[in-house]
Amino acid sequence: MNKKTLFLASLCLATAGWAIELSPASLSAETPLVVQQPDRRVSAPAANSKTPQVELLNPGVEPRQQLRLKPAIDVKQTTVMTVKMDMEISTSGRSSPAAKIPVSVMTFETKVTKIDPNGDIHYEFAYTNADITGDTGNIPPAARDAMRSTLKSIVGVKGSFIMDNRGFHKGGDIILPEGSDNNLKQMVGQMSKSLEQLASPLPAEAVGKGAKWRVSSSSNVIGMNVNDIVTYELASWQDGVASLNVSIEQQANPQNITSPQLPPGTTLTLKSLASQGRGAATMRLDRLMPFRSTASVSSNSEMSAKNAGSSEELTITTKMVMEMTLESK
């Protein structure tokens, strides 16, 4: 394999990593985010001025009621998130074979430990398994192994969070396993400011069937500033079970990208990024995680990249389709 091929494969791997981080938040209101600085314990960020903004677009029909999370103490859930991606990349106008990205499967557990009088929810989480599965196709073995190693590094990450009964995160503590290398610490350290944006908060107002609300947020995802608009529709509400239809939009302005996932010495500049998607979720308000969520997101981006020691600048155009499924029990 020549250096240019390995360089492009590494960029493909990095892009796949960004996609995993970008989209599940829109359907998984309480999915824990790995955050860590050089020591093993750190305080997760508390809510600030960048807290997601919720706008009620339509209150829906009567009867209406406020949607509030009310899990019982000691409620436990095991959640499996599966991410599938197809990617096409063209470099300076020359198309490369479609990349067969391995399927990523991540498992984590949550447990409610305390409910405050104001409704704030304290809970613990732990990642218990993570791996890639399926046909790796034309992904070079080195890139495949790097993807598997990075994914498996989250196993053993654990901690605790606090969020209010509308789903806004209010901070917490996270611990990385002993022996975590500097690359992992740097990678997840860049995500520390994204925690509060991973909430998918519920509207303050009472709502009924057909209600729609919009959640707008911005976050830094592995070195890239992204704007998100997610619109929810309450398709049905019965016996404490809500079914939601979800519309997803993501956009990023031109910017330089810095990430430990990039090949050493690589300069990467984002020229454009736009994503659209749709999904659905079924959730009970007496549980933290949805019983089932699905999403399909299409993304188009254009970047310029320069390898260390080379004057050649590559223009990389990426088309990606991602399907995500989350199931809890």
Side-chain angles (χ1 to χ4, degrees):
M1 179 189 304
N2 60 42
K3 291 183 178 180
K4 184 174 181 180
T5 300
L6 182 58
F7 172 60
L8 292 175
S10 300
L11 288 176
C12 177
L13 172 64
T15 306
W18 291 323
I20 293 173
E21 295 299 334
L22 284 170
S23 295
S26 59
L27 290 183
S28 175
E30 289 74 51
T31 301
L33 174 66
V34 182
V35 282
Q36 182 62 38
Q37 299 300 332
D39 55 23
R40 293 182 58 231
R41 179 177 290 273
V42 67
S43 293
N48 58 26
S49 60
K50 295 183 180 180
T51 296
Q53 301 300 305
V54 183
E55 178 185 1
L56 183 64
L57 305 177
N58 183 344
V61 300
E62 296 283 1
R64 302 187 184 113
Q65 71 175 72
Q66 290 182 326
L67 302 180
R68 298 293 184 268
L69 297 168
K70 298 180 180 180
I73 296 176
D74 291 333
V75 165
K76 298 179 181 180
Q77 287 179 277
T78 299
T79 302
V80 178
M81 183 167 65
T82 304
V83 181
K84 302 178 181 179
M85 285 183 287
D86 291 318
M87 184 185 302
E88 295 182 6
I89 298 177
S90 62
T91 307
S92 299
R94 302 174 63 180
S95 297
S96 302
K100 184 73 173 181
I101 307 299
V103 176
S104 300
V105 181
M106 292 158 278
T107 302
F108 57 90
E109 297 178 349
T110 55
K111 178 184 177 181
V112 178
T113 58
K114 179 183 177 183
I115 305 294
D116 290 336
N118 66 353
D120 284 355
I121 302 163
H122 299 242
Y123 69 97
E124 298 174 345
F125 80 91
Y127 284 98
T128 58
N129 196 19
D131 205 349
I132 58 175
T133 64
D135 182 15
T136 58
N138 55 0
I139 295 294
R144 177 201 61 205
D145 293 344
M147 184 176 182
R148 169 171 277 131
S149 177
T150 299
L151 199 59
K152 279 185 169 294
S153 67
I154 71 171
V155 176
V157 172
K158 59 183 179 180
S160 59
F161 282 126
I162 304 172
M163 69 177 176
D164 69 16
N165 58 10
R166 287 180 57 202
F168 286 98
H169 278 273
K170 302 179 75 171
D173 292 314
I174 300 108
I175 303 173
L176 283 180
E178 290 188 18
S180 297
D181 62 25
N182 289 330
N183 288 334
L184 176 63
K185 293 174 182 178
Q186 292 173 8
M187 180 182 71
V188 299
Q190 291 190 46
M191 297 186 239
S192 61
K193 295 181 181 180
S194 300
L195 180 59
E196 61 260 36
Q197 282 84 27
L198 279 186
S200 295
L202 300 167
E205 301 86 350
V207 294
K209 182 179 178 180
K212 290 186 179 182
W213 60 95
R214 179 168 55 213
V215 179
S216 303
S217 64
S218 60
S219 58
N220 184 284
V221 182
I222 315 185
M224 183 163 54
N225 296 314
V226 180
N227 301 313
D228 300 274
I229 297 178
V230 184
T231 303
Y232 298 88
E233 179 186 8
L234 184 59
S236 67
W237 168 251
Q238 186 174 2
D239 299 328
V241 179
S243 294
L244 304 173
N245 295 324
V246 185
S247 175
I248 306 161
E249 297 180 40
Q250 294 177 324
Q251 176 270 337
N253 295 322
Q255 59 192 277
N256 294 326
I257 298 174
T258 57
S259 170
Q261 290 191 2
L262 292 173
T266 299
T267 301
L268 188 63
T269 301
L270 178 71
K271 295 183 177 180
S272 65
L273 169 70
S275 304
Q276 298 82 34
R278 307 192 74 83
T282 302
M283 60 182 293
R284 282 174 47 177
L285 296 183
D286 61 354
R287 296 291 188 271
L288 284 178
M289 299 303 302
F291 277 150
R292 180 175 173 82
S293 295
T294 60
S296 179
V297 179
S298 298
S299 178
N300 294 280
S301 66
E302 183 175 331
M303 303 180 185
S304 62
K306 184 179 292 186
N307 198 3
S310 172
S311 60
E312 181 184 7
E313 183 175 273
L314 301 176
T315 298
I316 303 170
T317 302
T318 304
K319 295 181 180 180
M320 182 163 49
V321 177
M322 186 189 72
E323 296 182 358
M324 192 271 301
T325 301
L326 183 148
E327 295 182 313
S328 301
K329 60 181 181 179

